[in-house]
Amino acid sequence: MAEQTLTRIEISKDYLNFSAGHFTIFSATERENLHGHNFQVRCAVTAAVGPNGLAFDYVELKQVLKALCDTFDEQLLLPELSPYLRLERQQGQVVALFADERMTFLERDVLLLPIRNVTIEELAPLLLERLRDRPELADMRLQRIELGVSSGSGQWAVASSGPPQIGS
């Protein structure tokens, strides 16, 4: 049997982005001020080219990526797993307790994430995991997925993994 040639397809579109607020936590007593970024997302996948000359349906992958970005858009991102931040929900609000600070936000404006810190190096693996969980990817026979997140020009974190684990 002949060895199958793999092709790497990169998806990088202007609309693969989200605007979100956050602050990075550096220690038990030091954090950034609350601010926002226009985060960019890009994806590269490795797959074999099929007998029809296509590796997979790019349109479907782009739609899934856009939907993932949309879930983060116009949200305040807070880390649920930070050892330095305590989060409480009270009467439609999220209260973030850090050192001697008490920050109160409307619950509808907050997206709590299962990460330790809201950094691109935490967001890239989280988005990759959520991408891999999407059933739309099951039939694409992807060999490798790389997902990058940028918080500014020239600054990317990229997470990578093998084939999607749909239904496992």
Side-chain angles (χ1 to χ4, degrees), residues 9-160:
I9 309 287
E10 296 182 17
I11 307 291
S12 179
K13 297 290 189 180
D14 289 340
Y15 61 80
L16 294 178
N17 66 74
F18 58 93
S19 297
H22 86 114
F23 52 86
T24 299
I25 300 170
F26 299 110
S27 70
T29 58
E30 187 180 359
R31 70 170 179 87
E32 291 179 314
N33 288 336
L34 178 63
H35 65 283
H37 291 280
N38 293 316
F39 292 92
Q40 285 294 130
V41 174
R42 68 182 183 201
C43 185
V45 295
T46 303
V49 177
N52 61 354
L54 297 171
F56 58 89
D57 184 351
Y58 304 177
V59 172
E60 198 161 12
L61 178 58
K62 290 187 278 188
Q63 289 171 344
V64 170
L65 288 166
K66 177 65 174 139
L68 283 175
C69 289
D70 288 349
T71 64
F72 286 72
D73 197 34
E74 297 183 357
Q75 299 286 321
L76 171 62
L77 308 179
L78 292 177
E80 291 181 302
L81 303 180
S82 171
Y84 307 120
L85 185 70
R86 198 171 90 237
L87 300 170
E88 298 175 354
R89 287 190 170 146
Q90 302 172 354
Q91 301 171 347
Q93 297 182 331
V94 174
V95 178
L97 303 163
F98 175 79
D100 60 350
E101 300 174 331
R102 179 183 177 87
M103 299 166 275
T104 304
F105 308 102
L106 291 175
E107 191 170 24
R108 65 174 284 236
D109 294 330
V110 175
L111 182 60
L112 301 178
L113 299 174
I115 56 179
R116 297 164 292 184
N117 212 340
V118 181
T119 59
I120 57 174
E121 53 266 43
E122 287 277 272
L123 290 172
L126 175 65
L127 277 144
L128 175 63
E129 178 184 330
R130 290 185 177 184
L131 177 64
R132 286 172 43 89
D133 287 344
R134 294 294 294 254
E136 297 94 323
L137 271 62
D139 295 332
M140 291 185 187
R141 296 183 311 271
L142 305 178
Q143 299 296 312
R144 182 169 186 75
I145 306 171
E146 298 173 42
L147 189 136
V149 177
S150 171
S151 60
S153 180
Q155 183 169 298
W156 288 88
V158 178
S160 62

